[in-house]
Amino acid sequence: MAISKRFSLRQGIENEPPEPLFEEVPDRLRYFVVEFVKSSFYDHVGIGTVGRALCRPHLLTGSILRQRIWSEVLSDEVFACEWWQLYNLAEEIYKDLPKMGSGRERAYVNALNGIFAEESVGWRMDENGRIQRLLPAAAEARQEEVFRELQAPRFQSAWANMLSAYNAYNARPRQDQDVCSAVVDALESVAKVVMSMPTATLGDVIKQARARQVFDPATLRVVENIYGLACSHFRHGMTEQFKLKPSEVEFVYMSSIGGMLMFIRAFPA
């Protein structure tokens, strides 16, 4: 039987994080990166990969004794870098693997994601080598669904806004205000298109949808509250400083995605 957790976690010697880690890097992840580069790259390629990803020009231009490359220099750099630099390095490793002609990209992604899972890290690397914020399976499915729907030409503007929201959501660190602003812009754009109200605001669309009894009044109140939150907290003309908690940003992001799918399903092309 496979052991899913290491001994120290099973015995309670180490505390398992109560929530996924996003702005931290466990030491075991740093160790994995060092060992993978050491075992997968020629010395000069590994130096270049780490030097570029961590912005360390002395690694690229200096003369380093071979016996010090891994035992001191690169190991020290990886264990001392900022959390976001480590994730930049993880992506750079994927980009540089083809230089070795090893075809190990898939094995690397699987191994890296395995470490992420074991260490309660809230990121996952996709099949293209990009590290993305992990969502629950059901939420991930809805996100993919809305991206498919927005491929339709009529949603060109909404697609651009949703892509901006997605990139801000997966930025390191996450750009919370940009996430909220862009995803609500996408929701507004979708609602305007399907309701044939190109110059309206989301508030205007909600009023029209209520008059036409398109949705249950309680459902529209949810969308209306998101619009009110946007106007006061994170859109142009906002009346309060942005201070939403990370969990509230998640709520705005996923609720807006749900709102887009609701309008699209009600008014299919």
Side-chain angles (χ1 to χ4, degrees), residues 3 5-16:
I3 299 175
K5 296 180 181 179
R6 58 180 175 271
F7 172 84
S8 53
L9 286 175
R10 300 198 312 275
Q11 300 303 320
I13 299 169
E14 287 185 77
N15 293 323
E16 193 166 1

Side-chain angles (χ1 to χ4, degrees), residues 183-216:
V183 78
V184 173
D185 284 348
L187 171 58
E188 181 177 69
S189 181
V190 166
K192 288 162 58 176
V193 168
V194 300
M195 293 284 288
S196 300
M197 301 174 65
T199 61
T201 65
L202 180 56
D204 296 330
V205 172
I206 293 169
K207 292 177 183 177
Q208 182 64 19
R210 181 175 290 120
R212 293 170 53 182
Q213 299 183 343
V214 176
F215 304 109
D216 187 279

Side-chain angles (χ1 to χ4, degrees), residues 147-159:
F147 269 115
R148 287 195 298 271
E149 293 287 353
L150 295 184
Q151 297 299 308
R154 63 175 179 155
F155 294 132
Q156 182 178 1
S157 178
W159 161 256

Side-chain angles (χ1 to χ4, degrees), residues 41 93-103 105:
F41 290 92
I93 291 170
Y94 181 91
K95 294 178 185 176
D96 284 353
L97 272 174
K99 295 180 181 178
M100 304 308 300
S102 60
E105 292 87 344

Side-chain angles (χ1 to χ4, degrees), residues 100-139:
M100 304 308 300
S102 60
R104 294 191 64 192
E105 292 87 344
R106 176 48 51 195
Y108 170 65
V109 170
N110 291 339
L112 181 64
N113 285 338
I115 293 293
F116 284 163
E118 291 172 9
E119 298 302 317
S120 300
V121 173
W123 302 98
R124 292 294 183 273
M125 178 172 279
D126 65 20
E127 61 183 10
N128 297 312
R130 291 191 62 189
I131 295 177
Q132 313 286 7
R133 187 173 289 264
L134 180 65
L135 288 171

Side-chain angles (χ1 to χ4, degrees), residues 120-253:
S120 300
V121 173
W123 302 98
R124 292 294 183 273
M125 178 172 279
D126 65 20
E127 61 183 10
N128 297 312
R130 291 191 62 189
I131 295 177
Q132 313 286 7
R133 187 173 289 264
L134 180 65
L135 288 171
E140 180 73 28
R142 300 292 80 73
Q143 179 180 258
E144 293 179 0
E145 189 176 357
V146 83
F147 269 115
R148 287 195 298 271
E149 293 287 353
L150 295 184
Q151 297 299 308
R154 63 175 179 155
F155 294 132
Q156 182 178 1
S157 178
W159 161 256
N161 289 323
M162 186 61 209
L163 187 60
S164 295
Y166 178 78
N167 288 335
Y169 187 81
N170 285 289
R172 301 184 294 275
R174 191 174 69 182
Q175 300 165 3
D176 284 356
Q177 184 171 346
D178 293 339
V179 171
C180 293
S181 178
V183 78
V184 173
D185 284 348
L187 171 58
E188 181 177 69
S189 181
V190 166
K192 288 162 58 176
V193 168
V194 300
M195 293 284 288
S196 300
M197 301 174 65
T199 61
T201 65
L202 180 56
D204 296 330
V205 172
I206 293 169
K207 292 177 183 177
Q208 182 64 19
R210 181 175 290 120
R212 293 170 53 182
Q213 299 183 343
V214 176
F215 304 109
D216 187 279
T219 304
L220 282 175
R221 281 197 296 273
V222 175
V223 181
E224 193 169 40
N225 287 337
I226 292 174
Y227 179 60
L229 181 67
C231 291
S232 61
H233 284 273
F234 50 81
R235 294 187 92 191
H236 295 300
M238 64 187 195
T239 58
E240 299 181 33
Q241 183 179 3
F242 182 84
K243 55 185 179 183
L244 296 187
K245 297 176 181 178
S247 58
E248 292 174 311
V249 173
E250 300 279 355
F251 170 77
V252 171
Y253 184 71

